[in-house]
PDB file of all heavy atoms in Angstrom:
ATOM      1  N   PRO A 391      -9.816  31.218  -6.487  1.00 92.00           N
ATOM      2  CA  PRO A 391      -9.699  30.817  -7.894  1.00 92.00           C
ATOM      3  C   PRO A 391     -10.158  29.374  -8.110  1.00 92.00           C
ATOM      4  O   PRO A 391     -10.031  28.545  -7.192  1.00 92.00           O
ATOM      5  CB  PRO A 391      -8.186  30.968  -8.167  1.00 92.00           C
ATOM      6  CG  PRO A 391      -7.527  30.844  -6.830  1.00 92.00           C
ATOM      7  CD  PRO A 391      -8.504  31.423  -5.851  1.00 92.00           C
ATOM      8  N   PRO A 392     -10.748  29.078  -9.286  1.00 92.00           N
ATOM      9  CA  PRO A 392     -10.905  29.933 -10.469  1.00 92.00           C
ATOM     10  C   PRO A 392     -12.194  30.749 -10.486  1.00 92.00           C
ATOM     11  O   PRO A 392     -12.590  31.235 -11.543  1.00 92.00           O
ATOM     12  CB  PRO A 392     -10.905  28.912 -11.604  1.00 92.00           C
ATOM     13  CG  PRO A 392     -11.593  27.730 -11.016  1.00 92.00           C
ATOM     14  CD  PRO A 392     -11.155  27.672  -9.581  1.00 92.00           C
ATOM     15  N   GLN A 393     -12.883  30.866  -9.347  1.00 95.00           N
ATOM     16  CA  GLN A 393     -14.130  31.626  -9.317  1.00 95.00           C
ATOM     17  C   GLN A 393     -13.875  33.084  -9.683  1.00 95.00           C
ATOM     18  O   GLN A 393     -12.755  33.577  -9.623  1.00 95.00           O
ATOM     19  CB  GLN A 393     -14.766  31.529  -7.934  1.00 95.00           C
ATOM     20  CG  GLN A 393     -15.233  30.123  -7.573  1.00 95.00           C
ATOM     21  CD  GLN A 393     -15.765  30.022  -6.156  1.00 95.00           C
ATOM     22  OE1 GLN A 393     -15.978  31.052  -5.476  1.00 95.00           O
ATOM     23  NE2 GLN A 393     -15.979  28.811  -5.687  1.00 95.00           N
ATOM     24  N   ALA A 394     -14.975  33.781 -10.026  1.00 96.00           N
ATOM     25  CA  ALA A 394     -14.853  35.165 -10.467  1.00 96.00           C
ATOM     26  C   ALA A 394     -15.207  36.169  -9.373  1.00 96.00           C
ATOM     27  O   ALA A 394     -14.825  37.339  -9.469  1.00 96.00           O
ATOM     28  CB  ALA A 394     -15.753  35.414 -11.682  1.00 96.00           C
ATOM     29  N   CYS A 395     -15.931  35.730  -8.322  1.00 97.00           N
ATOM     30  CA  CYS A 395     -16.398  36.685  -7.309  1.00 97.00           C
ATOM     31  C   CYS A 395     -16.394  36.068  -5.912  1.00 97.00           C
ATOM     32  O   CYS A 395     -16.537  34.849  -5.761  1.00 97.00           O
ATOM     33  CB  CYS A 395     -17.828  37.147  -7.620  1.00 97.00           C
ATOM     34  SG  CYS A 395     -18.013  38.061  -9.163  1.00 97.00           S
ATOM     35  N   ILE A 396     -16.257  36.927  -4.911  1.00 97.00           N
ATOM     36  CA  ILE A 396     -16.463  36.556  -3.513  1.00 97.00           C
ATOM     37  C   ILE A 396     -17.084  37.753  -2.809  1.00 97.00           C
ATOM     38  O   ILE A 396     -16.713  38.903  -3.052  1.00 97.00           O
ATOM     39  CB  ILE A 396     -15.140  36.126  -2.836  1.00 97.00           C
ATOM     40  CG1 ILE A 396     -15.393  35.694  -1.392  1.00 97.00           C
ATOM     41  CG2 ILE A 396     -14.089  37.233  -2.894  1.00 97.00           C
ATOM     42  CD1 ILE A 396     -14.173  35.063  -0.726  1.00 97.00           C
ATOM     43  N   LEU A 397     -18.065  37.479  -1.935  1.00 98.00           N
ATOM     44  CA  LEU A 397     -18.765  38.533  -1.204  1.00 98.00           C
ATOM     45  C   LEU A 397     -18.245  38.585   0.223  1.00 98.00           C
ATOM     46  O   LEU A 397     -18.247  37.581   0.934  1.00 98.00           O
ATOM     47  CB  LEU A 397     -20.272  38.263  -1.204  1.00 98.00           C
ATOM     48  CG  LEU A 397     -21.125  39.346  -0.538  1.00 98.00           C
ATOM     49  CD1 LEU A 397     -21.142  40.614  -1.386  1.00 98.00           C
ATOM     50  CD2 LEU A 397     -22.557  38.838  -0.319  1.00 98.00           C
ATOM     51  N   ALA A 398     -17.785  39.769   0.649  1.00 97.00           N
ATOM     52  CA  ALA A 398     -17.320  39.996   2.017  1.00 97.00           C
ATOM     53  C   ALA A 398     -18.439  40.685   2.795  1.00 97.00           C
ATOM     54  O   ALA A 398     -18.903  41.758   2.401  1.00 97.00           O
ATOM     55  CB  ALA A 398     -16.063  40.854   2.022  1.00 97.00           C
ATOM     56  N   VAL A 399     -18.877  40.061   3.898  1.00 97.00           N
ATOM     57  CA  VAL A 399     -20.012  40.559   4.673  1.00 97.00           C
ATOM     58  C   VAL A 399     -19.516  41.075   6.017  1.00 97.00           C
ATOM     59  O   VAL A 399     -18.882  40.341   6.779  1.00 97.00           O
ATOM     60  CB  VAL A 399     -21.061  39.447   4.887  1.00 97.00           C
ATOM     61  CG1 VAL A 399     -22.264  39.992   5.649  1.00 97.00           C
ATOM     62  CG2 VAL A 399     -21.488  38.858   3.555  1.00 97.00           C
ATOM     63  N   GLY A 400     -19.799  42.341   6.299  1.00 95.00           N
ATOM     64  CA  GLY A 400     -19.434  42.936   7.576  1.00 95.00           C
ATOM     65  C   GLY A 400     -20.574  42.848   8.570  1.00 95.00           C
ATOM     66  O   GLY A 400     -21.552  42.121   8.380  1.00 95.00           O
ATOM     67  N   GLY A 401     -20.471  43.619   9.649  1.00 93.00           N
ATOM     68  CA  GLY A 401     -21.498  43.614  10.682  1.00 93.00           C
ATOM     69  C   GLY A 401     -22.572  44.659  10.432  1.00 93.00           C
ATOM     70  O   GLY A 401     -22.330  45.675   9.767  1.00 93.00           O
TER      71      GLY A 401
END
Side-chain angles (χ1 to χ4, degrees):
Q393 294 176 11
C395 296
I396 182 171
L397 183 70
V399 182

